[in-house]
Amino acid sequence: MPRSSVSGQTGRPPVTSRAEILAAARRLIDRNGWEKLTIRGLAGELGIGATTLYHHVRDKEDLLLLLLTEYAAQLPRPELSGEPRDRIIAAGVLIHDAFAAWPWAAEVLATDGFVARIGDPALWIVEAILAGAADHGCTPAQGVLIFRNIWYYTVGEILVRARTARRHPDGDFPPAENSPFSGTGNSQLPHLTAIADQWGEIAQENTFHQGLTALVDGLLAQATA
Amino acid sequence: MPRSSVSGQTGRPPVTSRAEILAAARRLIDRNGWEKLTIRGLAGELGIGATTLYHHVRDKEDLLLLLLTEYAAQLPRPELSGEPRDRIIAAGVLIHDAFAAWPWAAEVLATDGFVARIGDPALWIVEAILAGAADHGCTPAQGVLIFRNIWYYTVGEILVRARTARRHPDGDFPPAENSPFSGTGNSQLPHLTAIADQWGEIAQENTFHQGLTALVDGLLAQATA
DNA sequence: ACCTGAACACCGTTCAAGT
DNA sequence: ACCTGAACACCGTTCAAGT
């Protein structure tokens, strides 16, 4: 790790910086996908020795976390207004859209403790959901429940759709792979058989907003029952 | 790949079989977690050369898929009865419990096309959800929507909780890691501050059934609106 | 028919030595 | 202060050669 800047500079001059490393990492991820990011490849992109990176970031996990924190800090932070229920849904959509633009973030962050790890830049959206729940008449514990459920649902949607997209990139979805029903004429499965042909097309639709609304409305109905 | 058994056996006798390999893989996963499963380690467990495995399974992904198919085929398949809405929820709980017992399965299968890949043994539960939706008055497309949403929610819950458990194994949950709020006295985040101390404990609770119920009720309300 | 070691093309990370 | 190559301890997979 380099020390924080002091006036009297001595010793060998740096060939790179943490900022340069993060920018290059982001470039490579956008180009090849995050699974393909390697320390050695990153050093190659920067034209430096692979081991030099370890003077600027602790390890690969630290690098990814720095990248996520940077991304989170730079996201727009719109004022949420209107009915509490609508604010909660809008907050969920914001989380979703942020991850949809950078699906690998969901892979890295798919953990309950994510907000603590990513830090302050993400807390405001949690606060927004808790505030919406409270304004709707929920107890604090019910607010936490609502946040957790939105988080589960959103992570699941992002991960499933991201991995599906990786397998058969945009547009074509061979029924045999995308539909749960590839065989023919299984009389034990009448509903599945009936819908088999259209499954792929239906599963392609973006129904996040609709599903999130159902989840939030269901949770709020439970809370105020 | 070995050929299907024929009576006149010739050549070098096998030192293992696909069944033995799958059993050993399962043992190692249960012992060390699925991330630690390596082809070389598996061969070591069996006391054979690593490259021998490639005569019995195509590659590592094929091996994992065989393992999943075996697991799915062996799961109990209870009759679901009662109200359509309750049958849908019960089906979701069955999916959840199957994955909760083997969380790595969710990692491998977190893809829209999962049922096609895992094959017939998993189709009955999809049929059960579609049938419940139809009996409740949903169109086939609405049934597919309900299945997909249950799948997203369940995958998210399993993955988030599995990865969290891996980070701070059962019991203790340091607030600094498990709560979104580690700092103190941030007046911009009143609701978060108020609940910070109890967050870890609340987030520990298993609320899957409750959340799934909210989701299904919300979706059914949308469908029949 | 089946098994095997050597080899290929990779990983992340450490550390002593250099500038 | 910072950089570097060599080295360590791994991966999955292929393939020619052996039994």
Side-chain angles (χ1 to χ4, degrees), chain B residues 69 71-80 94 120-125:
Chain B
T69 310
Y71 178 63
Q74 152 260 297
L75 286 170
R77 226 164 290 198
E79 278 291 332
L80 299 178
L94 282 174
D120 293 352
L123 294 183
W124 74 277
I125 195 94

Side-chain angles (χ1 to χ4, degrees), chain A residues 91-112:
Chain A
V93 169
L94 283 174
I95 296 176
H96 178 261
D97 291 351
F99 281 119
W102 240 27
W104 70 270
E107 302 269 359
V108 177
L109 278 188
T111 161
D112 248 332

Side-chain angles (χ1 to χ4, degrees), chain A residues 33 36-37 41 85 107 125 129 159 162 167 211 223:
Chain A
K36 294 281 178 61
L37 182 72
R85 175 254 196 195
E107 302 269 359
I125 195 93
I129 291 173
L159 290 184
R167 280 195 178 275

